[in-house]
Structure formats: C-alpha cells, structure tokens
Amino acid sequence: MDKSTYIQLLEAHNIKPTANRIVVVEALANSMLPQSLAELERRIQTIDKSNIFRALTLFREQHLIHAIEGGNDGTRYELCHSHSEDHDDDQHPHFYCEVCQQTYCLEGLEVPQVAVPQGFEIRSVNYMIKGICPHCQSES
Amino acid sequence: MDKSTYIQLLEAHNIKPTANRIVVVEALANSMLPQSLAELERRIQTIDKSNIFRALTLFREQHLIHAIEGGNDGTRYELCHSHSEDHDDDQHPHFYCEVCQQTYCLEGLEVPQVAVPQGFEIRSVNYMIKGICPHCQSES
DNA sequence: GTTTATGCAAATTCTTTGCAATACT
DNA sequence: AGTATTGCAAAGAATTTGCATAAAC
C-alpha cells in the first residue's frame, strides 16, 4: 500500500489526512498484531504519544479502527476490515498468549453470538481467549 | 451465609482465612455485580487498598475468584461458582452497559466455544458484550 | 522466633489534558 | 483571521511495590 491508499482510507472515514495521521494508520496497517498505544509509541519515534493517542481516539470515533481489550496490558487497536463509516462488523476472536503476551487475531473465525435476555441491546462483542500459543507450546 | 462459610471457602482454596480476607471474600459474595478494586476499596473502608489488592491477587492464584476484563474501567472480580481448586470452569458472558457503565453477569448463558487453530491451548475465555442494558434502554 | 500479613507511603505505569506554538484553509 | 493540529509538559488515574510494624503459628 502506498501513501495515497492511506489518504483515501482516512478520507473515507471523514478524517482529514494529516501527515501524522497517515503515519499512524500506516503503522497499524503494517502490524500483524493489534498494537497498544505503548507499542505504537515505540514504533513511531517521530510523533509524540499524545498525538498518537489523539489520532487513535479520532480513528476510533470514525470507526477506522477498533479497540480490543481483555488481553493483559490495556487496550490494543487494529484496523477495521469492513470499511464502513458508522459501525464495526468485522469482529473476530482474539487470542492472548499468557507466555509471550502477544495478542493474535483469529481472523478466519467468527465471534459466536449468544442469545442475550430481552432488553439488552448489543453494540459490540469482545471475545478474548487466553492460553498458550503454538509457538510457546512447542518451547515447553 | 455466615462467617464460617467464608472460612471454609477460603480453606477449600488453600487460603489462610485471615480477618481481612474474610471481609474481602464476603464483599465479593454479597455483590450482585463483579467488583473493581476501586469499588471494593469504597465498600471496605476498614482495609487498605494494597491489602485488598493482595487478597485479590492471592484469591486469583488460588482460583477462588476470576478476573473479567474488557468492560471499561480495568479489571473486575467475581467469585468462581464452581469451587474447583485448580481452574475456572464457570465462565459466563458479561454485558457492559455503555450508558450506566455497569457490568452484568449473564449467568444463565454459556460462553460459546470457537474452534481455534491447531496448536493454540485455551486456558480461559472472556466474552464481553457492550451495548445498552434494559434499564438504560427504557430511559431513552 | 520465624514466618506471614498488614498499613502506609511512595514508585510505576498508563492514559489523558492544558496550553502555547505551528500549520492549514 | 480563524480553525485545526501538534509537541511538550504535566496532571490524573489505577496498579503495584518497599518497608517497618504487628500478628500468627
């Protein structure tokens, strides 16, 4: 993907494509794994963390990225796959390895739905599995 | 439940039943909703937060309580239902209301399993739904 | 008397905001 | 000019640790 692709992506979500925001969205796009704010800070030395944070907040509001929680160390962010402007519908389960502490996307899988009681309105679902990943499995 | 029940509960998990620990486990048992550390601090004025924290850490190690994450404000704790000493098997989905910010246990429901790829070993699953609860639904 | 638990204070870590300077339109 | 964005610094919030005292065994 080149720069103009990211600009289009930002614009599709009504985000003005500033230089910093392009860098942040690019960093997310190039990440295999969902990134925490701290990881993005480490990766993007040129932008202040408050600005990365503000970019992420904006991206989240515009449904360009979504947040996943429940691994261990705070919130992680990943690009939405479905590029809808007003909601996320590409939720997939995540797997947090208790040994290497990486969070994997289980992209091929769907988050199974549960039948919630009458009156609960579902907006989103976080499905986080914890355990040991194949790599750490074979180490032991 | 009276005090001796809590003592038995602690002992069943190989936890020495000190006065403080009895108070903490009692507070959890009397909570309808999973409690955060901050909520427990507010509820238990007699015990220092570092101690509540240490009790929770110990309880977690001994599988007396489990942690749920992904609501909004950090980790919440609830008693395990299955009183096994070495693992949790009573996971149920939780529902976080984005309006009133309460976390509900959907106790009647099971967490649906997903077929993870070969090599991933599942230890536990966090299923967190976000949306609007019946009460806040009817407010609007 | 040795180990364990406790309370207080403070260190850490992570997230979020204030504000002046800069860039954009 | 006027609005939006940025970097730096610092405020906040939440979690976790150090350590001296006190309690338990």
Side-chain angles (χ1 to χ4, degrees):
Chain A
M1 286 225 227
D2 71 345
K3 212 166 178 178
S4 69
T5 316
Y6 297 117
I7 295 175
Q8 282 167 32
L9 194 50
L10 290 167
E11 285 175 340
H13 288 265
N14 301 310
I15 299 167
K16 191 171 10 158
T18 67
N20 279 351
R21 289 171 187 165
I22 294 167
V23 172
V24 175
V25 77
E26 188 172 8
L28 284 167
N30 291 334
S31 303
M32 292 308 296
L33 305 174
Q35 302 289 296
S36 65
L37 176 56
E39 284 165 346
L40 289 170
E41 266 176 75
R42 239 169 283 134
R43 258 171 100 133
I44 308 171
Q45 303 278 342
T46 52
I47 308 176
D48 184 77
K49 71 175 162 208
S50 66
N51 236 337
I52 299 175
F53 173 75
R54 285 189 269 235
L56 292 172
T57 304
L58 181 61
F59 292 177
R60 197 140 52 132
E61 285 164 6
Q62 301 302 121
H63 302 279
L64 170 59
I65 63 177
H66 53 250
I68 62 174
E69 293 156 331
N72 199 17
D73 39 26
T75 306
R76 287 167 178 279
Y77 304 91
E78 66 181 345
L79 283 185
C80 296
H81 296 170
S82 74
H83 291 132
S84 146
E85 284 146 60
D86 57 351
H87 69 293
D88 294 348
D89 55 10
D90 65 323
Q91 308 272 352
H92 50 262
H94 292 89
F95 186 98
Y96 173 78
C97 175
E98 291 176 342
V99 178
C100 64
Q101 293 172 278
Q102 288 217 323
T103 302
Y104 296 84
C105 299
L106 302 178
E107 297 230 15
L109 305 176
E110 302 256 308
V111 171
Q113 300 296 308
V114 300
V116 296
Q118 270 279 323
F120 286 93
E121 182 191 320
I122 298 179
R123 284 281 181 78
S124 66
V125 179
N126 241 296
Y127 191 106
M128 177 67 69
I129 305 167
K130 292 195 190 188
I132 306 179
C133 75
H135 185 256
C136 293
Q137 232 12 285
S138 56
E139 298 287 289
S140 57
Chain B
M1 287 226 230
D2 71 346
K3 213 169 183 177
S4 68
T5 316
Y6 297 118
I7 294 174
Q8 282 166 33
L9 194 50
L10 290 167
E11 285 175 341
H13 288 265
N14 301 310
I15 299 166
K16 192 172 7 161
T18 66
N20 279 352
R21 290 172 186 164
I22 294 167
V23 171
V24 175
V25 75
E26 188 171 9
L28 284 166
N30 291 335
S31 302
M32 293 307 298
L33 305 173
Q35 302 289 295
S36 66
L37 176 57
E39 284 164 347
L40 288 170
E41 265 176 74
R42 238 169 283 132
R43 258 171 102 134
I44 308 173
Q45 303 278 343
T46 52
I47 309 177
D48 184 76
K49 71 175 161 207
S50 66
N51 236 336
I52 298 174
F53 172 75
R54 284 190 267 235
L56 293 172
T57 304
L58 180 62
F59 291 178
R60 199 142 49 133
E61 285 164 6
Q62 301 301 121
H63 301 278
L64 171 58
I65 63 177
H66 52 249
I68 62 175
E69 292 157 331
N72 200 17
D73 40 25
T75 307
R76 287 168 178 280
Y77 304 91
E78 66 182 343
L79 283 185
C80 296
H81 296 170
S82 74
H83 291 131
S84 145
E85 284 146 60
D86 57 349
H87 70 292
D88 293 349
D89 56 10
D90 64 324
Q91 307 273 353
H92 50 262
H94 293 89
F95 187 98
Y96 172 78
C97 176
E98 291 175 343
V99 178
C100 63
Q101 293 171 276
Q102 289 217 324
T103 301
Y104 297 85
C105 298
L106 303 178
E107 297 228 16
L109 304 176
E110 300 257 309
V111 172
Q113 300 296 308
V114 300
V116 296
Q118 269 279 323
F120 286 94
E121 182 191 321
I122 298 178
R123 285 281 182 77
S124 65
V125 178
N126 240 296
Y127 191 106
M128 177 66 71
I129 305 167
K130 292 194 190 188
I132 306 177
C133 75
H135 184 255
C136 293
Q137 234 6 291
S138 56
E139 299 286 289
S140 58

